[in-house]
Amino acid sequence: MLNFVLFGPPGAGKGTQSQKLIDRYQLIHISTGDLFRDHISKQTSLGKQVSALIADGQLVPDAITIAMLEEEVEKNPGTKGFIFDGFPRTVAQAAALDTFLESKGSAITAVIALDVDQEELTKRIAERQKLTNRVDDQADKLQKRIEEYFNKTIHVLPYYEAQHKLSKVNGIGDIDAIFAELCKVVDQF
Ligand code: ADP
């Protein structure tokens, strides 16, 4: 299997680029943010459990997130592979994902980190807020998400660097030019 992690701070373009990647490579896209939003809109018990945390810009506890992710992977037996978007966001999640994939005789192929500076991120999310009205895109909640990213999520990078699986791609500029850079990484496998 080909298992890619698309990594980056809020607003880095993970959703946009994931969509293009799954179209080209026929991989299954798993976005934990999308899955949580789906649970919230359907008012499932999981949705009710996590909605306040998400609206506040905090991370959902690892145990809940990992269980949801594993369930989603299990729903797609026989696939060519996955693009993980928004997961792992903590080192504990990364380690759990390794163990889980190993139990399936598989592994993470590569981690592609989209590099975008903070000024550009804030600008993009302000634009997105106008279009989608996501409560967690409001300025104070966004600040919380950026803090969560720098406190917890950034440590995932050295975890994968130590495994020699990390590639960084410039995430600023033309969407198709960024996509071309991502494809260069994917095409190595
Ligand atoms: P972003 O646009 O900030 O990258 P996402 O759509 O991926 O955000 O996620 C939205 C929210 O869902 C996060 O702020 C967090 O509350 C929750 N969430 C998503 N993925 C995870 C995860 N892997 N671990 C914990 N919480 C998560």
Side-chain angles (χ1 to χ4, degrees):
M1 278 206 297
L2 289 174
N3 299 311
F4 295 96
V5 172
L6 199 53
F7 188 90
K14 301 187 293 290
T16 307
Q17 296 295 343
S18 293
Q19 194 53 51
K20 295 175 78 69
L21 287 169
I22 58 168
D23 288 348
R24 174 164 308 183
Y25 295 100
Q26 280 84 50
L27 300 167
I28 302 279
H29 178 212
I30 300 188
S31 155
T32 42
D34 287 351
L35 289 173
F36 283 132
R37 280 186 286 278
D38 197 45
H39 275 282
I40 292 169
S41 74
K42 291 184 179 143
Q43 301 190 317
T44 65
S45 65
L46 174 63
K48 288 178 188 156
Q49 215 180 332
V50 301
S51 68
L53 283 174
I54 291 184
D56 193 42
Q58 295 183 53
L59 290 187
V60 173
D62 285 334
I64 297 175
T65 309
I66 292 164
M68 180 181 73
L69 185 282
E70 292 184 356
E71 193 186 310
E72 202 57 29
V73 170
E74 300 287 8
K75 283 183 194 163
N76 294 282
T79 178
K80 255 179 83 181
F82 295 93
I83 304 269
F84 298 108
D85 159 7
F87 186 96
R89 260 181 159 92
T90 63
V91 171
Q93 291 178 14
L97 182 59
D98 276 351
T99 307
F100 177 65
L101 290 175
E102 200 182 325
S103 77
K104 307 202 152 305
S106 191
I108 289 296
T109 308
V111 176
I112 312 175
L114 285 168
D115 224 355
V116 179
D117 64 55
Q118 200 152 333
E119 190 186 342
E120 172 76 12
L121 295 174
T122 314
K123 204 169 74 189
R124 286 185 188 177
I125 294 182
E127 280 306 308
R128 183 169 77 185
Q129 220 261 322
K130 290 183 205 153
L131 299 174
T132 65
N133 229 3
R134 262 177 61 171
V135 284
D136 61 343
D137 278 349
Q138 288 162 8
D140 54 331
K141 312 299 184 206
L142 170 62
Q143 195 47 45
K144 181 78 206 165
R145 280 159 59 212
I146 293 175
E147 273 170 35
E148 291 280 70
Y149 178 78
F150 285 106
N151 286 333
K152 298 173 184 165
T153 305
I154 201 126
H155 306 301
V156 170
L157 288 176
Y159 177 89
Y160 286 117
E161 207 158 25
Q163 297 185 9
H164 309 289
K165 288 186 176 170
L166 183 65
S167 295
K168 288 188 185 166
V169 167
N170 173 22
I172 298 188
D174 178 64
I175 288 177
D176 288 322
I178 297 166
F179 180 60
E181 290 304 308
L182 292 176
C183 291
K184 279 189 204 161
V185 178
V186 174
D187 287 338
Q188 291 169 23
F189 301 97

